[in-house]
Amino acid sequence: MPAVKTRALVLSERPFQDRDRMVTLFTEEEGKIQAIVKGARDPRSHLAAATRLFAWSEFVYWPGKSFARIQEASLIDSFYSISEDLDWMMLASYPLELTSAFYDENQGDPQVLKILVFLLFYLAHEPEASPELLAAAFQLKIADAAGIRPELEPPEGNGDAYFGIEEGGITAAKDAEGYRYRINRETAVLMRRLLLRPISDFKTEQAPSERLDRILEIMNHFLSDQAGRRFRTYEMYRESRAAAPKK
């Protein structure tokens, strides 16, 4: 099989053997793949920077039965500044974990990849970016891409409604069954905007922290229920927030 040349985002990395690195890539050409990078844990390696978490790089790799073998890698953007803040790093890692959870090997979506790259670019290079708002927008967009788009029609009038986890969306209070979250009309409207508008519309937008916290919690529960697993990066973010001194 010939070598593949493609741009890709590093969704995860972990040590492999003494000096190598195992990475999960979300590629333009082949979707999600697992790959081994020989010698990448050596700081002198020309492959080191291009195969770290968050790296957006151009790769040449040889496909394999179990793992691809990275032959060349050229860094486009490391989004390095994201790692300077723990909460930002967790919220930036969270969309990567969601993507890995909802796509199997050799499955992908160029539009989702584009959204991820834009999201990381805003977090790394746009001082006014809100990591909570961008993460919430991605939660809704990955649900849509995975075919589990929630029903987000705002309730009539000004009263509150509920988001039902099992029902997969917003319902009037009297209709809600199973595990549900109370939400107000403003939160429902924001969720719908985050779903329908392009990620570029939100690169500098701000929203009340209580509203964003509610959306993040609801959608994480919904996505966890759909994926049948918990998301470690989100839980670490919540633990970090809970341990932080109150302002």
Side-chain angles (χ1 to χ4, degrees):
M1 186 175 293
V4 176
K5 182 177 182 179
T6 183
R7 293 186 300 180
L9 189 67
V10 180
L11 299 182
S12 66
E13 57 155 307
R14 62 182 185 274
F16 182 73
Q17 298 184 348
D18 293 335
R19 302 172 60 221
D20 305 337
R21 180 177 292 153
M22 181 83 71
V23 295
T24 301
L25 304 180
F26 201 55
T27 76
E28 288 182 321
E29 304 297 332
E30 303 292 333
K32 189 179 82 170
I33 66 166
Q34 306 289 327
I36 294 173
V37 194
K38 300 293 288 184
R41 293 169 59 204
D42 184 339
R44 299 168 296 180
S45 171
H46 69 286
L47 300 175
T51 56
R52 297 300 302 267
L53 181 67
F54 302 131
W56 171 233
S57 304
E58 187 168 67
F59 293 91
V60 176
Y61 67 86
W62 295 96
K65 290 184 178 180
S66 299
F67 304 103
R69 299 276 178 172
I70 303 296
Q71 183 73 18
E72 300 175 20
S74 176
L75 181 67
I76 300 171
D77 197 329
S78 68
F79 307 116
Y80 178 78
S81 62
I82 293 173
S83 302
E84 296 175 351
D85 182 286
L86 180 60
D87 287 346
W88 282 49
M89 183 176 178
M90 289 300 101
L91 278 180
S93 300
Y94 178 47
L96 307 189
E97 186 180 7
L98 289 174
T99 301
S100 190
F102 281 99
Y103 289 93
D104 293 329
E105 194 79 4
N106 297 121
Q107 290 184 343
D109 185 330
Q111 184 60 28
V112 170
L113 176 59
K114 182 178 179 180
I115 291 170
L116 281 171
V117 172
F118 273 107
L119 183 153
L120 294 176
F121 182 86
Y122 299 145
L123 289 178
H125 302 297
E126 179 52 66
E128 299 301 318
S130 165
E132 292 82 8
L133 187 139
L134 291 170
F138 189 81
Q139 288 177 316
L140 288 152
K141 294 181 186 306
I142 192 71
D144 189 28
I148 52 171
R149 179 175 181 166
E151 174 57 53
L152 297 176
E153 190 65 35
E156 295 182 2
N158 296 319
D160 290 351
Y162 287 87
F163 187 105
I165 298 300
E166 290 80 4
E167 293 175 325
I170 295 172
T171 64
K174 63 180 180 180
D175 298 327
E177 297 179 359
Y179 201 100
R180 56 195 186 272
Y181 292 83
R182 185 191 296 272
I183 62 170
N184 57 31
R185 182 174 180 80
E186 291 77 12
T187 301
V189 169
L190 178 57
M191 292 179 77
R192 188 170 174 82
R193 283 190 63 243
L194 293 174
L195 171 65
L196 298 178
R197 301 299 301 167
I199 196 75
S200 57
D201 282 8
F202 307 114
K203 63 181 179 181
T204 60
E205 183 169 328
Q206 304 293 318
S209 59
E210 297 83 0
R211 198 170 297 166
L212 292 175
D213 286 346
R214 193 66 167 168
I215 295 173
L216 287 167
E217 192 67 19
I218 289 170
M219 286 304 300
N220 183 69
H221 190 164
F222 174 69
L223 293 168
S224 295
D225 187 71
Q226 293 291 323
R229 53 165 288 183
R230 298 163 68 175
F231 298 109
R232 177 174 170 270
T233 48
Y234 181 78
E235 292 180 351
M236 291 176 65
Y237 162 73
R238 298 299 299 178
E239 291 169 2
S240 175
R241 285 283 302 275
K246 301 297 182 182
K247 296 182 180 179

